Amino acid sequence: MQALRRSMLFMPGNSPRMLQDAAILGADSIILDLEDAVSLTEKDSARILVREAIKTIDYSAVEVVVRVNPLDTEFGAPDIEVIARVQPHALLIPKADEDEIRLVDKTLTKIEAEEGFPAGGIKIIALIETALGLENVFNVIKASPRTVGVLLGGEDLTADLGIERTKEGEEIFYARNKVATVCRALKVDAIDTPFTDTNDHEGLKKDTARGKGLGLTGKAAINPRQIETIHSVFAPTQNELKRALRILEAREEAEKEGQGVFSLDGKMVDAPVINRAKRIVDQGIRLRLISGEGGAK
Ligand SMILES: CC(C)(COP(=O)(O)OP(=O)(O)OC[C@H]1O[C@@H](n2cnc3c(N)ncnc32)[C@H](O)[C@@H]1OP(=O)(O)O)[C@@H](O)C(=O)NCCC(=O)NCCSC(=O)C[C@@](O)(CC(=O)O)C(=O)O
Ligand SMILES: [Mg+2]
């Protein structure tokens, strides 16, 4: 089954304490960071620490993703060389562009062959955080069949655009829209940028809902206190589930009578409405909010 990525929790790769507890914090994925959260003087030691953590800590409850440094720095290639050999689930590639993703794919293919790992097993998530990367996001994803998702980086993107980042996020409306649409077209996950005020839970809730409303499928977090809020926004509500189940029930009746379109509570129900209801019910089953038989829990 496809990995669930409602929340992806970043943590600095040079923090043994955070790495130790990472599996029990409730995030769907953890991102062990070797890039911006690690200072230049700690890059080499953080790489070793992350390698040892993956080798020795039981992370079986979560997806383990490592954010490596960009390949145009002296740290990028050694990061991939060392980390891929302990088989993380995925690498997160910062400031991703098409050529870089192709090169990462090639390097992973070589390492997997040398280590006897399944070919294509280590996935790629592209961090889209430059104007060029955003405009080219379709080709960035297509550059490797390993790419399972895109993470939008709002801080770096707005810096690249020379504009201010605000809590309301109007300035990244286009970026969220574009990432959500392209990811949906190519059937990969679209992960929203982190909300950086760790004490503003209302703000986080609104920001997460804004992304979800545009079609993003998950959100990055920077603090464990953000995870529950993110999950609550991405879970369908009881009302949404009840309505979706009623639509599917009514559809069965309508089908018996040969009706492709029908009315429920005064609202038209046709194929796209039924498909949306199916998606909500599937999600409810996956999150164990309803049973496989469709009954509300
Ligand atoms: C923000 C803060 C300093 C707050 O510290 P505080 O001390 O106030 O946190 P508290 O809540 O008090 O901690 C309570 C307990 O939870 C533990 N705990 C905290 N955070 C934890 C965590 N993340 N993972 C596991 N454990 C954690 C902590 O150790 C403590 O444990 P204990 O002492 O045992 O009770 C801290 O969270 C933190 O460092 N976050 C990660 C920051 C980071 O990785 N940034 C880089 C990635 S983003 C990025 O790069 C985006 C982008 O790419 C995109 C773009 O472009 O937009 C870019 O470029 O920007
Ligand atoms: Mg960044």
Side-chain angles (χ1 to χ4, degrees):
M1 189 188 269
Q2 197 197 325
L4 194 58
R5 297 188 188 91
R6 294 164 299 173
S7 60
M8 301 190 77
L9 176 65
F10 272 104
M11 62 198 65
N14 61 348
S15 168
R17 189 163 163 177
M18 290 193 197
L19 297 185
Q20 185 66 44
D21 294 340
I24 55 165
L25 297 172
D28 291 331
S29 300
I30 51 173
I31 303 174
L32 315 181
D33 190 15
L34 298 176
E35 197 218 13
D36 281 354
V38 175
S39 66
L40 288 181
T41 53
E42 301 221 358
K43 293 284 186 197
D44 294 329
S45 54
R47 185 187 305 125
I48 302 304
L49 190 63
V50 166
R51 181 191 67 188
E52 293 307 306
I54 296 173
K55 265 166 67 176
T56 57
I57 298 172
D58 179 8
Y59 287 126
S60 53
V62 289
E63 179 183 55
V64 177
V65 179
V66 179
R67 177 162 75 170
V68 294
N69 284 283
L71 283 181
D72 62 1
T73 68
E74 63 185 285
F75 307 109
D79 284 350
I80 296 176
E81 179 60 33
V82 169
I83 299 299
R85 292 188 194 275
V86 289
Q87 251 184 322
H89 293 110
L91 297 181
L92 175 64
I93 308 301
K95 301 175 186 74
D97 73 29
E98 205 182 327
D99 291 341
E100 192 171 18
I101 296 288
R102 232 174 255 122
L103 188 53
V104 172
D105 182 291
K106 207 171 139 195
T107 310
L108 289 176
T109 300
K110 177 179 148 283
I111 293 174
E112 283 169 346
E114 285 168 6
E115 296 288 337
F117 298 158
I122 302 173
K123 304 300 178 195
I124 292 175
I125 298 177
L127 181 46
I128 293 294
E129 49 182 352
T130 63
L132 192 63
L134 181 64
E135 281 311 301
N136 200 27
V137 60
F138 184 93
N139 293 323
V140 172
I141 297 169
K142 288 290 238 182
S144 166
R146 298 172 186 271
T147 308
V148 291
V150 165
L151 198 159
L152 175 64
E155 295 297 331
D156 270 304
L157 178 65
T158 46
D160 192 34
L161 292 170
I163 57 176
E164 286 301 310
R165 178 91 171 88
T166 68
K167 271 194 175 177
E168 292 69 35
E170 203 169 323
E171 67 288 346
I172 56 164
F173 173 78
Y174 167 73
R176 280 174 160 160
N177 235 317
K178 174 136 190 167
V179 165
T181 307
V182 174
C183 287
R184 179 68 74 180
L186 296 178
K187 299 195 171 27
V188 300
D189 285 335
I191 313 298
D192 201 6
T193 188
F195 185 75
T196 51
D197 184 342
T198 56
N199 291 323
D200 181 1
H201 290 283
E202 253 329 287
L204 170 66
K205 198 169 172 181
K206 282 188 190 149
D207 194 55
T208 310
R210 234 174 257 129
K212 182 189 170 191
L214 292 172
L216 293 157
T217 54
K219 190 166 179 68
I222 53 162
N223 187 282
R225 287 181 283 113
Q226 298 183 313
I227 294 166
E228 207 179 312
T229 304
I230 293 174
H231 286 187
S232 74
V233 174
F234 279 104
T237 64
Q238 282 300 322
N239 279 345
E240 284 171 328
L241 281 168
K242 275 188 194 144
R243 169 98 191 144
L245 287 167
R246 284 193 65 217
I247 289 172
L248 296 187
E249 266 170 36
R251 193 254 333 233
E252 275 184 30
E253 288 306 307
E255 262 178 3
K256 280 182 205 153
E257 290 166 27
Q259 291 174 310
V261 59
F262 57 95
S263 175
L264 185 66
D265 303 332
K267 288 192 188 132
M268 182 183 79
V269 177
D270 60 358
V273 178
I274 291 165
N275 288 341
R276 186 175 303 122
K278 276 187 195 155
R279 264 212 300 274
I280 291 173
V281 169
D282 283 350
Q283 205 185 0
I285 293 169
R286 213 164 164 208
L287 297 175
R288 299 177 202 279
L289 299 171
I290 49 176
S291 68
E293 286 76 47
K297 275 194 171 177

